[in-house]
Amino acid sequence: MTMSAGWYLRRLSRMGPQEVAGRVSDTVRRRRWRSVRPDCPSVTGARFTAVLPAGTIDAVPADAAKRLIAEADLLMAGHAEYFGVVRDDLVDPDWWCDPKTGRRASDGYAFDVPYRDEDAVGDIKQIWEPSRHQYLTRLAAAYAITGDERYAERVAEHLRSWWAANPPLRGVHWISGIELGIRLLSWVWIRRLLDGWAGAAALFEDNPVALNQIWHHQRWLAAFPSRGSSANNHVIAEAAGQFAAACAFGWFPSSERWRADALRSLDRHLRSNTFLSGVNRELATEYHGLVLELGLAAVAEADAADVPVPATVRLVLLRMTDALAAVVDNRLRPPRQGDADDGHGLVLDGAGTDRWGSLLATGDAVFGRLTWWPTVTGTDVRTPLLAALIRPYSKNGTAPAVARPASRPAHFADAGMTILRGPGKTGETGEIWCRCDGGPHGFLSIAAHAHADALSVEVRHDGVDVLADPGTYCYHGQPEWRQYFRSTLGHNTLQLDGGDQSVSGGPFLWTRQATSRVLAVDTSDASDGGTARWCAEHDGYQGSVHRRRVELTAASRELRVIDEVRGPRRAVQLAFHLGPAIAADLVGNRAQLTWTGDGEDRSAVLDLPGQLSWQAHRGESDPPLGWYSAGFGRKEPTTTLVGTGFADGAEGFTTVLRFRD
């Protein structure tokens, strides 16, 4: 996907004067760097001291270690999967080749590479992801647990290969700051986990090539931070990676300055990227997880190096952790809101480890769990390693006393997110979980990772998607699919006149954004069998207002959705996307829903508004409709029910979902 002149004008229109000036300065610097490439300053006597405390590895649970070692053995055999593409070439990877398209990126000056153009480069995320070196942190962790030097030797072989193939400022791996930041964080943990291996020092601090790479990565990050309208999760990754490297690899004349600047940036942007409620401002749940992982990893480096951290850093991470504990369902699944690209900050675990349970386990170790937190039963490798480095919040002298929620929050007013819950019939099972979206369209002027999903709902029964958020699927290269998964029709909400509520100006750009406001929330009676209520509206359809009410009655296990359109007569499409596990039999305006949960047959009835004409769509491609993306690069057919008709303001559209278990 190449960017047109019109896109550049639209993108420029979303920038302020300070951002424009900064980007002009960046352009000048990139041109200067083309011909001026300084060498890394000489380093003598470098030592790595940010090691794990004695006995840390012994605290790794046996089942978590088993999963990791199984994953490491697959990697040793060359097998991995990235975004739905199975690879068997990781014994000797080609760092610039996209296995999905077969295309290979050029080795030209980094800032000349058209990385958004799939015809020229291939799928850039397929190329970038292995070079985050998070598969190497898994191999290094497997070495730390087993002492098997095969893992360490493979890590060393691949790092030397990558460093040789990717000299500073050459090729696609020197384009994006988030890639450099996460890669630095991986290198810190690789060195830490290989500390017991005899070749660790020769690979890192005694290796001029490694020193040159580490220095140039930090020089790059210091020169080209994400700015203004782009200062979202990318700038957190840049600051966290820069800070981690400057703490653990503090061997250069600029290390102290880099460390101080990165810490200031991390503190500032953690606060600006996070609502006071603890919800990430991008309103894209996977990026909440990414930012939390990066923040915890940065604090671990600070405490390992005895570098004081502003109290606000820990406070934001505490609030983010409490917010995560509040919004997950009874299976520890968070909302599927906004963009998601499977990005992780620090990977030390094997397949099958629950990401969200792992974050809550780390939160318990660092901040202490509250009585209303959900129970985490799974295990992971990362938690005991991070907890060994991070000082517990209650024992940290700079941590402020803070009032944490006494009961589980259901409404996050600043984020416009409300969770309605109907308790299960027996204990934790059978929970009805409903997310209602009445918040801002997204973060910053471009709202890069937002979807046109105002007033959408997401409903689960015992953790199974019933009314599902379809997900993301892709970023670059497939504009029709990118458009669909971000569209209003691609969410459980109402569309007028065939258009989106918010206007897209590009794959990560919105030029007009719907404004939502929550009018009423009452969740007080839901736990006692009463009715929880939510009401909100948005102004995305010029000349009309879409208002939606949602009522969840726990006693009757019934969810009612009432849509009103205030304004002139307009064409309506009301969509409900079913999860991939749900089978639907649509007759007229009634859909019988069936699925299997925990080995038991489940069912529900969905009564749809009779004023509309209803049709089921599944796996259609021209145009796309009826799809679910469980993860980036993966999609599968599912059933979408679409009602068409007209709204004239005389009456609302009422949808009723009744669970039968």
Side-chain angles (χ1 to χ4, degrees):
M1 180 184 300
T2 56
M3 299 294 106
S4 66
W7 177 86
Y8 283 103
L9 289 173
R10 292 191 295 273
R11 185 66 183 85
L12 184 64
S13 73
R14 310 305 289 177
M15 302 180 194
Q18 187 173 358
E19 180 179 357
V20 171
R23 289 178 181 269
V24 169
S25 175
D26 289 347
T27 300
V28 172
R29 184 176 291 111
R30 289 181 184 120
R31 290 178 177 174
R32 188 170 68 247
W33 279 25
R34 183 190 298 273
S35 56
V36 179
R37 300 181 192 172
D39 293 328
C40 167
S42 61
V43 173
T44 57
R47 294 176 57 242
F48 183 82
T49 58
V51 298
L52 290 169
T56 298
I57 296 299
D58 297 336
V60 174
D63 56 339
K66 183 178 179 180
R67 288 193 303 273
L68 170 65
I69 293 165
E71 186 83 11
D73 288 341
L74 286 173
L75 291 168
M76 290 292 291
H79 303 301
E81 179 184 330
Y82 293 109
F83 311 132
V85 176
V86 177
R87 299 182 60 165
D88 59 6
D89 61 339
L90 285 193
V91 170
D92 183 19
D94 183 336
W95 302 108
W96 293 353
C97 183
D98 165 28
K100 189 173 80 173
T101 64
R103 297 187 180 96
R104 195 169 189 274
S106 72
D107 63 350
Y109 182 56
F111 299 118
D112 291 341
V113 177
Y115 69 96
R116 295 187 181 96
D117 186 351
E118 189 167 297
D119 290 335
V121 173
D123 184 336
I124 190 61
K125 284 188 68 64
Q126 287 288 344
I127 299 174
W128 276 344
E129 193 68 18
S131 289
R132 290 186 172 188
H133 290 168
Q134 293 175 326
Y135 78 96
L136 295 181
T137 57
R138 282 172 160 159
L139 290 176
Y143 164 76
I145 290 171
T146 66
D148 188 336
E149 294 192 352
R150 293 181 307 118
Y151 299 123
E153 289 163 356
R154 177 62 58 81
V155 171
E157 177 187 342
H158 280 204
L159 284 179
R160 290 190 172 106
S161 167
W162 194 94
W163 290 333
N166 294 278
L169 300 180
R170 306 300 300 181
V172 294
H173 298 303
W174 291 88
I175 295 172
S176 175
I178 188 173
E179 304 304 316
L180 278 75
I182 290 177
R183 193 155 52 239
L184 278 177
L185 186 58
S186 294
W187 292 352
V188 168
W189 274 90
I190 289 167
R191 176 60 184 88
R192 174 174 290 127
L193 292 164
L194 294 185
D195 192 61
W197 180 52
L203 180 62
F204 279 93
E205 55 265 33
D206 295 339
N207 181 359
V209 175
L211 293 172
N212 188 53
Q213 286 277 349
I214 293 167
W215 184 80
H216 272 284
H217 271 66
Q218 294 186 83
R219 175 177 179 257
W220 193 109
L221 289 171
F224 301 113
S226 292
R227 301 180 182 276
S229 56
S230 295
N232 52 13
N233 65 87
H234 282 234
V235 77
I236 302 292
E238 294 160 8
Q242 175 85 304
F243 179 71
C247 287
F249 302 147
W251 306 320
F252 308 103
S254 298
S255 291
E256 185 174 350
R257 174 172 57 83
W258 287 338
R259 183 169 59 240
D261 290 348
L263 184 56
R264 277 193 297 271
S265 176
L266 184 67
D267 179 31
R268 173 189 169 197
H269 288 104
L270 275 175
R271 285 184 283 117
S272 65
N273 273 252
T274 311
F275 289 112
L276 289 177
S277 65
V279 176
N280 182 264
R281 284 183 182 270
E282 291 197 76
L283 296 171
T285 311
E286 280 211 3
Y287 287 108
H288 183 111
L290 173 65
V291 169
L292 181 54
E293 288 168 351
L294 291 166
L296 289 168
V299 169
E301 297 308 324
D303 288 353
D306 202 24
V307 174
V309 170
T312 45
V313 170
R314 297 180 198 268
L315 181 57
V316 169
L317 299 176
L318 167 63
R319 287 173 172 160
M320 291 183 72
T321 305
D322 280 342
L324 176 62
V327 301
V328 294
D329 64 23
N330 66 322
R331 302 295 182 177
L332 301 186
R333 293 183 63 216
R336 282 168 51 87
Q337 184 179 18
D339 272 348
D341 73 345
D342 298 356
H344 291 255
L346 175 64
V347 178
L348 300 173
D349 281 279
T353 301
D354 179 51
R355 176 186 195 175
W356 309 103
S358 171
L359 276 170
L360 291 177
T362 304
D364 184 2
V366 173
F367 304 117
R369 73 185 309 276
L370 297 172
T371 56
W372 54 261
W373 274 30
T375 301
V376 176
T377 57
T379 62
D380 68 313
V381 173
R382 189 177 60 189
T383 287
L385 304 191
L386 283 174
L389 298 176
I390 301 175
R391 299 187 187 111
Y393 190 79
S394 60
K395 297 179 181 179
N396 190 282
T398 62
V402 58
R404 298 170 70 185
S407 59
R408 192 174 199 171
H411 177 56
F412 299 83
D414 47 10
M417 181 190 296
T418 304
I419 307 294
L420 308 182
R421 297 177 192 269
K425 287 189 173 181
T426 57
E428 290 281 330
T429 63
E431 176 196 61
I432 300 170
W433 176 98
C434 174
R435 173 181 64 87
C436 303
D437 179 5
H441 175 65
F443 182 47
L444 302 174
S445 62
I446 63 173
H449 291 298
H451 291 184
D453 58 356
L455 308 196
S456 64
V457 295
E458 184 183 1
V459 181
R460 299 177 191 155
H461 177 274
D462 206 14
V464 175
D465 292 311
V466 179
L467 301 182
D469 184 301
T472 299
Y473 178 56
C474 66
Y475 281 170
H476 301 287
Q478 298 172 282
E480 70 281 7
W481 291 101
R482 176 63 171 154
Q483 180 179 347
Y484 169 69
F485 278 98
R486 294 202 307 166
S487 71
T488 299
L489 186 61
H491 294 83
N492 298 316
T493 188
L494 182 145
Q495 183 186 66
L496 294 183
D497 294 341
D500 287 338
Q501 313 150 335
S502 297
V503 177
S504 172
F508 298 97
L509 171 64
W510 297 91
T511 56
R512 183 171 61 79
Q513 304 175 15
T515 300
S516 302
R517 62 176 184 143
V518 176
L519 303 174
V521 175
D522 183 0
T523 62
S524 58
D525 294 334
S527 60
D528 298 325
T531 299
R533 295 179 173 86
W534 171 89
C535 180
E537 64 183 21
H538 77 82
D539 65 356
Y541 299 118
Q542 295 179 325
S544 297
V545 172
H546 173 207
R547 178 174 291 185
R548 168 170 278 187
R549 287 183 287 135
V550 178
E551 299 173 353
L552 174 60
T553 303
S556 60
R557 302 181 67 71
E558 176 182 289
L559 184 81
R560 186 175 294 264
V561 180
I562 304 99
D563 290 293
E564 301 173 17
V565 178
R566 302 188 175 192
R569 177 180 170 87
R570 302 181 74 165
V572 166
Q573 284 186 297
L574 179 60
F576 291 106
H577 300 262
L578 306 182
I582 309 299
D585 182 13
L586 176 66
V587 178
N589 67 314
R590 169 169 284 193
Q592 302 283 348
L593 311 182
T594 56
W595 67 97
T596 300
D598 280 345
E600 296 185 19
D601 292 338
R602 310 284 190 183
S603 66
V605 175
L606 184 61
D607 284 321
L608 301 157
Q611 311 99 302
L612 303 177
S613 176
W614 289 90
Q615 186 174 352
H617 302 264
R618 185 175 181 86
E620 299 172 9
S621 299
D622 189 20
L625 188 60
W627 296 92
Y628 178 94
S629 174
F632 197 83
R634 297 181 289 276
K635 69 179 188 298
E636 59 186 300
T638 192
T639 300
T640 295
L641 305 175
V642 179
T644 58
F646 292 90
D648 57 13
E651 58 181 328
F653 304 103
T654 299
T655 303
V656 181
L657 175 62
R658 298 181 181 90
F659 293 92
R660 287 177 165 172
D661 63 337

